[in-house]
């Protein structure tokens, strides 16, 4: 970071891209610019089912639910990095969208 901000800039770009595309797809995302992006599902079982189906699509995520988060605030926790390329993010967005439609989270 003392020599270049290239990785930090890429992280910022990746985070903004992922948050924008996921919101456009219809997901409820906690607002912010943080690279940890919570996809709110609110239901513990749904978060577990969603994570399992995403793994079937080649996307590894964790469903967080009580007692890790408050009851009724279950979510999928994603973390964007500068190591991701746009095609990686697009693959994840496509998988989230497919599973989200299957499980009735988005239309």
């Amino acid at each position: 970071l003392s020599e270049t901000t290239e990785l930090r800039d890429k992280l910022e770009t990746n985070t903004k891209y992922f948050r924008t595309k996921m919101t456009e797809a219809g997901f409820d995302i906690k607002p912010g610019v943080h690279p940890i992006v919570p996809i709110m599902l609110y239901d513990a079982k749904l978060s577990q089912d969603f994570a399992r189906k995403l793994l079937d699509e080649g996307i590894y995520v964790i469903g967080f639910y009580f007692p890790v988060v408050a009851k009724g605030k279950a979510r999928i926790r994603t973390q964007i990095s500068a190591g991701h390329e746009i095609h990686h993010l697009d693959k994840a967005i496509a998988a989230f969208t497919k599973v989200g439609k299957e499980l009735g989270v988005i239309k």
Side-chain angles (χ1 to χ4, degrees):
L1 284 176
S2 61
E3 295 176 16
T4 178
T5 62
E6 182 180 350
L7 289 175
R8 187 198 67 202
D9 296 344
K10 185 175 181 191
L11 175 60
E12 185 177 337
T13 298
N14 284 351
T15 299
K16 186 175 182 177
Y17 180 85
F18 185 77
R19 284 178 170 275
T20 298
K21 294 294 184 180
M22 289 290 285
T23 300
E24 288 173 356
F27 289 98
D28 181 11
I29 297 181
K30 293 258 185 199
V33 295
H34 199 282
I36 296 175
V37 184
I39 314 303
M40 300 305 295
L41 298 172
Y42 303 100
D43 179 81
K45 182 170 180 348
L46 177 60
S47 73
Q48 294 168 62
D49 293 345
F50 206 112
R52 188 181 69 254
K53 286 184 172 286
L54 280 174
L55 187 56
D56 292 342
E57 298 294 322
I59 306 298
Y60 178 68
V61 296
I62 301 293
F64 281 15
Y65 47 91
F66 183 81
V68 177
V69 296
K71 282 186 181 181
K73 298 291 183 180
R75 65 197 70 188
I76 297 289
R77 179 188 185 270
T78 63
Q79 184 166 340
I80 308 305
S81 90
H84 291 119
E85 301 297 336
I86 293 297
H87 69 91
H88 297 132
L89 299 175
D90 286 341
K91 179 180 178 179
I93 294 160
F96 266 97
T97 300
K98 177 182 178 186
V99 172
K101 288 179 178 177
E102 281 178 24
L103 295 178
V105 173
I106 60 172
K107 294 180 183 187

